[in-house]
Amino acid sequence: MEWWRTAVFYEIYVRSFGDANGDGVGDLSGLIAHLDYLNDGTPRSLGVDALWLTPINPSPMFDFGYDVSDYCAVDPLFGRLADLDRLIAEAHRRGMRVILDLVPNHTSHRHAWFEASRRARTDPHRDWYVWRDPASDGGRRTTG
């Protein structure tokens, strides 16, 4: 049987979970500090099998991190790639898996793909997004 069918998942909104550096925003180091609470192999922990992290990628935060501007990095607000590596290693040491919430269907307007797609109708990224010409009146509604 697939492991995920019986696993206990714990969704974590990193921004508000644990703040290790005292700046008022949760971060990966703060999450690492609480891993034993989630699963330390004893009955006193929650017995979590998998951590599901909401987006931790760089984002201009117009949509609380779901408007990703770089899929290959960690937003400095939450830490560094090294912190993510450490989180994964520490989670695995406790028998937990780490699932990242990937949201490729709505990149940020500041993502390189989107910026390229709007530069020219002939750009290869153009068909990665839905574009419509404006209405003849600029899209304004008229009332009569």
Side-chain angles (χ1 to χ4, degrees):
M1 179 183 295
E2 297 93 346
W3 69 269
W4 48 267
R5 290 194 182 271
T6 58
V8 174
F9 281 77
Y10 195 90
E11 182 181 10
I12 297 175
Y13 186 57
V14 177
R15 180 183 200 97
S16 63
F17 187 80
D19 176 15
N21 63 10
D23 67 356
V25 177
D27 47 53
L28 295 174
S29 293
L31 172 53
I32 293 166
H34 291 89
L35 288 178
D36 283 342
Y37 168 74
L38 300 172
N39 191 342
D40 69 356
T42 68
R44 66 185 171 88
S45 71
L46 293 179
V48 171
D49 298 308
L51 306 175
W52 169 18
L53 306 187
T54 59
I56 58 169
N57 304 99
S59 165
M61 294 294 175
F62 286 97
D63 195 16
F64 296 100
Y66 283 87
D67 53 328
V68 175
S69 57
D70 182 356
Y71 290 102
C72 298
V74 170
D75 193 307
L77 191 64
F78 305 127
R80 301 169 299 128
L81 279 172
D83 297 320
L84 179 59
D85 289 341
R86 190 165 55 98
L87 169 65
I88 292 168
E90 289 297 322
H92 286 180
R93 193 169 67 77
R94 293 166 175 83
M96 292 184 284
R97 298 170 190 238
V98 178
I99 309 296
L100 299 179
D101 199 341
L102 177 67
V103 286
N105 60 327
H106 47 177
T107 61
S108 167
H109 66 288
R110 293 184 181 165
H111 192 285
W113 298 340
F114 185 84
E115 289 175 349
S117 78
R118 72 179 182 185
R119 271 198 278 295
R121 290 178 185 258
T122 57
D123 189 279
H125 293 94
R126 185 71 175 195
D127 65 353
W128 291 17
Y129 299 88
V130 177
W131 292 96
R132 298 284 184 264
D133 289 329
S136 60
D137 66 355
R140 296 188 180 135
R141 298 180 76 196
T142 58
T143 57

